[in-house]
Amino acid sequence: MRLLPATALALLFALPLAGLAQKPVEPTLPQMNLAKNWLELIDAGKFEQAWNEASADLRRQSLADWSAAIRKARRSEATVKCRKGLDFELLEKPDRIDTVFITEFADGHVISEKVTLREDANGNAQVTAYRRGPPLQERGSPCDP
């Protein structure tokens, strides 16, 4: 009769540990999808469309200068192998959302990408800034299962 309570106790402790072993879930927020879709325009070489969909803040440079800066910042002309959304941060003054992705190119180059979004007067989110950073080593490859 003592075996049953010991088994139940073991299961009770095992259940929370099983939950910890689950694969982390990408953050979900409509703005994360908007930022990811915008990055996919750049991935496809559709710089003019990405530039036109962004806010006037981002379009301070000419399209040619901005496109060249994006290409240089990414340091890879290879196709994107995979991208994973890591996080987002809601900020104030000015109100904005910073979204962070890790991107791996087919040539093995890995970068982190931050896309900042702000809502316009009509409540529509627009990209206001793009920054590239080093590959957040602790996150590993976005292609890892």
Side-chain angles (χ1 to χ4, degrees), residues 6-21:
T7 303
L9 188 59
L11 285 173
L12 184 64
F13 283 107
L15 288 175
L17 292 176
L20 292 175

Side-chain angles (χ1 to χ4, degrees), residues 29-31 34 53-57 90-91 94-98 116-129:
L29 186 72
Q31 290 86 344
L34 190 146
E53 289 183 12
S55 74
D57 293 341
L90 305 172
L91 302 162
D95 289 338
R96 65 191 187 279
I97 298 172
D98 281 342
T116 301
L117 302 129
R118 234 187 262 158
E119 288 187 359
D120 64 14
N122 298 323
N124 299 314
Q126 284 189 307
V127 174
T128 60

Side-chain angles (χ1 to χ4, degrees), residues 35-83:
K36 192 172 188 177
N37 292 340
W38 187 82
L39 286 170
E40 289 171 354
L41 290 173
I42 293 171
D43 298 343
K46 297 179 179 178
F47 292 98
E48 185 172 2
Q49 185 177 348
W51 191 75
N52 285 328
E53 289 183 12
S55 74
D57 293 341
L58 188 135
R59 294 189 315 254
R60 286 183 214 160
Q61 292 180 290
S62 71
L63 173 59
D65 290 345
W66 180 78
S67 300
I70 294 290
R71 284 187 177 99
K72 183 178 178 183
R74 290 180 125 199
R75 298 184 185 158
S76 181
E77 292 288 329
T79 59
V80 170
K81 182 176 177 184
C82 58
R83 174 178 288 122

Side-chain angles (χ1 to χ4, degrees), residues 8 18 26 31-33 49-50 57 63-64 67 71 78 89 96 100 102 105 110 125 133 139:
E26 281 192 61
Q31 290 86 344
M32 288 289 290
N33 288 332
Q49 185 177 348
D57 293 341
L63 173 59
S67 300
R71 284 187 177 99
E89 186 175 11
R96 65 191 187 279
V100 180
I102 186 167
F105 296 89
V110 179
R139 300 291 184 144

